[in-house]
Amino acid sequence: MIQFGEWLPDQPDYSNTGVTEATNVIPAASGYRSLPGFVEYSNAASNTILNIFAAKQNDGSVKLFAGDSAKLYSFNAGTSNLDDISKAGTPAYDLDSAERWRFVQFGDTVIASGGIGEELQKFQLGTDTAFSDLTGTPPKADFIAVVRDFVWVANIDTGSGRVPYKAYWSGFNDPTSWTAGTDQSDFQEIPDAGAITGMVGGEYCTILMERAIVRATYTGPPLIWQFDKVETARGCQVPGSVCNIGHMVFYLSDDGFYMFDGSRSQPIGAEKINRFFLEEDFNISFKDKMTSTVDPQNQLAVWSYVSNSSIDGTPDRLLIYNYALGRWSLANVKNDLIAPFFTPGYTLEDLDNLSTSIDALPASLDSALYKGGQFLFGGALGANIHAFSGDPLAATIVTGETGLAMGNHNIITRIYPYHEGGSVELFVGLRGTHTDIVSYTAGGTTNAAGFVPFRAQDRYHRAKMYISGNWTYAQGMDIEARKVGRR
């Protein structure tokens, strides 16, 4: 069996040891798995959703938040509505086109930043019914994180204008204390590495900047935090490219994708997908629309972006990286953002509000979609929350090209596909020289003997599998061919 290898679009098609196309699939150890469809999960907000966030309350239940340019919402499982829980005012908020909501949970309080035009917002779980301004006069900020017992903000406005290279943190275990020099609250300016473009919390703070990565480690009074510039060879130019699992941080630099482990960056896209992404597919004019997230259940880092094929500037691609295997794939999914969340619980009565028919529900009854507190990989398209819980997307996988006998024409007579579930159509790509355009010969679906018959003759061949229906795994294929002589 010719097993489907890793997707390597940066390598030449001829003698490519992986595959030249892997679309609408998830990388697996021996082939590719299906990617569920992106289906509607909520009713509409007033405007395009700019982020979503799931918080766990003390009793273990989940509350799902969302925000658009003018409002903050709570998802209502009983009606699928996004209930307006904004602070008082019309409009309550006014985010510009480049800003997004960013949320953190500090104890039983959810805190949201909406850019330098908005006050930090707070919602106390189990008590509040609407967001309100966080007290203590915190700076307005683009980025927010929880680091140990502190709330951090960065790329801030303290009232006299934006300072993009400044980070500020709250008092110890008190997100309402923001007086520098009091209760360990203070700030740090990092003036020689450009703007701060991302921040990741945890035991220490990872600060991504345009030309460096800085690590802040807690030391206690009098210094409070020690700042070390641990990466100076590169930085992060696109804020939406930053995602993490723990302190493993993924980001896009000028020359491609990297993973930062707390002390140094490692290239993950070099000679694999960087050139394809940067030179062929990524429309940098819409870099502010990039979003990214990690799906820990499937060990994936995923980037959503606007490709050069997008007609209206809406993100239409997902670049998928399996960080356990070091393999990539691509998906054609129209979306406005991607984000993980936990599902609120549904009762049987709540399901009536989703659909009047069991057959019309967006997922089967045993799906994690309806179980409270279950992780769900999703995002938003337009004004609606969406989830990757639909039927498997139809996928395409194309092998590398080979000449079965050097200088000779060869004829492919049979291809045996190996997959689990769904139905398959096979094609053979033909070229007489490496400068020719590839032309595909359709072979159709498998016959009763489990193969697709062909009469596909030329010097160079590649095979394409198109798999659709309720499929789960695509492993590879066997190809039967023979030499037919020189011409």
Side-chain angles (χ1 to χ4, degrees):
M1 181 181 70
I2 301 173
Q3 185 171 297
F4 290 139
E6 62 177 312
W7 179 49
L8 298 171
D10 285 0
Q11 298 303 307
D13 290 351
Y14 181 72
S15 293
N16 192 315
T17 57
V19 298
T20 58
E21 183 178 345
T23 304
N24 292 348
V25 294
I26 296 173
S30 57
Y32 294 88
R33 293 186 289 113
S34 59
L35 176 65
F38 197 51
V39 297
E40 193 172 289
Y41 182 79
S42 76
N43 294 330
S46 298
N47 303 288
T48 299
I49 292 174
L50 300 178
N51 214 342
I52 56 178
F53 179 76
K56 281 202 171 184
Q57 304 183 93
N58 291 335
D59 62 1
S61 60
V62 172
K63 193 169 185 67
L64 184 60
F65 298 91
D68 62 21
S69 60
K71 297 177 182 178
L72 287 166
Y73 302 92
S74 172
F75 176 74
N76 187 327
T79 63
S80 294
N81 289 337
L82 293 172
D83 296 336
D84 184 359
I85 54 170
S86 306
K87 70 176 183 180
T90 307
Y93 315 104
D94 186 20
L95 277 66
D96 68 31
S97 59
E99 292 178 323
R100 287 190 180 274
W101 288 105
R102 289 179 169 88
F103 300 85
V104 296
Q105 183 172 352
F106 190 88
D108 64 352
T109 302
V110 172
I111 304 173
S113 66
I116 64 167
E118 305 297 337
E119 303 288 346
L120 291 189
Q121 298 295 291
K122 72 93 178 176
F123 186 99
Q124 187 171 353
L125 298 167
T127 301
D128 289 345
T129 57
F131 276 93
S132 60
D133 292 348
L134 181 65
T135 58
T137 320
K140 302 172 184 178
D142 284 336
F143 305 106
I144 187 168
V146 174
V147 189
R148 292 176 63 102
D149 299 300
F150 302 82
V151 174
W152 280 57
V153 292
N155 201 326
I156 66 174
D157 183 355
T158 56
S160 56
R162 179 192 290 271
V163 187
Y165 48 82
K166 188 173 186 177
Y168 211 121
W169 56 90
S170 72
F172 177 80
N173 202 30
D174 186 357
T176 66
S177 174
W178 293 89
T179 302
T182 301
D183 197 21
Q184 302 187 44
S185 177
D186 215 332
F187 61 86
Q188 179 71 35
E189 294 183 355
I190 312 169
D192 58 347
I196 294 172
T197 54
M199 188 167 60
V200 175
E203 189 65 20
Y204 56 86
C205 186
T206 301
I207 303 171
L208 295 100
M209 307 186 71
E210 290 178 315
R211 297 189 298 275
I213 299 177
V214 175
R215 173 172 167 162
T217 306
Y218 182 72
T219 61
L223 293 178
I224 315 300
W225 297 90
Q226 176 179 317
F227 289 80
D228 297 301
K229 197 176 291 182
V230 293
E231 179 72 75
T232 58
R234 59 190 55 83
C236 172
Q237 297 290 333
V238 183
S241 72
V242 180
C243 60
N244 70 290
I245 174 72
H247 282 294
M248 185 189 301
V249 182
F250 304 95
Y251 68 96
L252 175 65
S253 189
D254 288 332
D255 59 346
F257 289 92
Y258 287 85
M259 186 276 289
F260 178 73
D261 63 5
S263 59
R264 64 189 182 94
S265 294
Q266 302 173 5
I268 58 175
E271 291 300 312
K272 293 185 176 183
I273 55 86
N274 281 347
R275 287 197 298 273
F276 162 79
F277 177 80
L278 293 171
E279 299 174 13
E280 299 178 31
D281 208 43
F282 179 43
N283 190 332
I284 197 169
S285 300
F286 296 99
K287 68 177 185 179
D288 289 339
K289 292 190 175 183
M290 174 178 276
T291 58
S292 59
T293 193
V294 168
D295 176 357
Q297 288 193 333
N298 291 301
Q299 298 176 301
L300 303 175
V302 185
W303 290 266
S304 160
Y305 63 96
V306 179
S307 79
N308 288 319
S309 300
S310 178
I311 298 173
D312 58 1
T314 300
D316 60 335
R317 291 273 205 274
L318 300 179
L319 190 61
I320 302 170
Y321 177 64
N322 186 316
Y323 53 81
L325 302 174
R327 291 188 171 191
W328 296 84
S329 65
L330 191 70
N332 296 319
V333 176
K334 192 171 184 179
N335 67 94
D336 280 295
L337 72 95
I338 52 172
F341 58 90
F342 292 91
T343 60
Y346 283 87
T347 65
L348 288 176
E349 290 75 16
D350 291 339
L351 293 180
D352 289 338
N353 296 308
L354 291 180
S355 173
T356 57
S357 167
I358 291 179
D359 295 333
L361 287 171
S364 62
L365 286 173
D366 60 355
S367 170
L369 189 67
Y370 310 120
K371 301 174 184 177
Q374 295 295 311
F375 176 87
L376 197 62
F377 181 43
L381 175 60
N384 301 83
I385 297 174
H386 281 58
F388 287 94
S389 58
D391 294 333
L393 297 177
T396 301
I397 306 169
V398 181
T399 67
E401 185 178 80
T402 185
L404 301 176
M406 186 178 65
N408 288 277
H409 275 236
N410 305 276
I411 185 168
I412 290 180
T413 57
R414 294 181 179 184
I415 298 181
Y416 294 80
Y418 298 99
H419 62 98
E420 294 181 1
S423 59
V424 160
E425 296 178 59
L426 297 181
F427 306 81
V428 172
L430 304 171
R431 285 201 297 184
T433 70
H434 295 305
T435 58
D436 290 346
I437 296 174
V438 178
S439 63
Y440 280 94
T441 297
T445 58
T446 53
N447 60 22
F451 67 85
V452 177
F454 279 93
R455 296 286 294 178
Q457 178 180 324
D458 219 318
R459 283 193 177 91
Y460 304 107
H461 299 79
R462 66 187 73 185
K464 177 195 292 187
M465 175 187 287
Y466 177 81
I467 184 167
S468 59
N470 193 26
W471 70 282
T472 56
Y473 219 103
Q475 292 177 277
M477 56 184 73
D478 273 326
I479 299 176
E480 186 176 290
R482 59 183 173 84
K483 184 171 66 176
V484 295
R486 294 180 180 270
R487 284 189 180 179

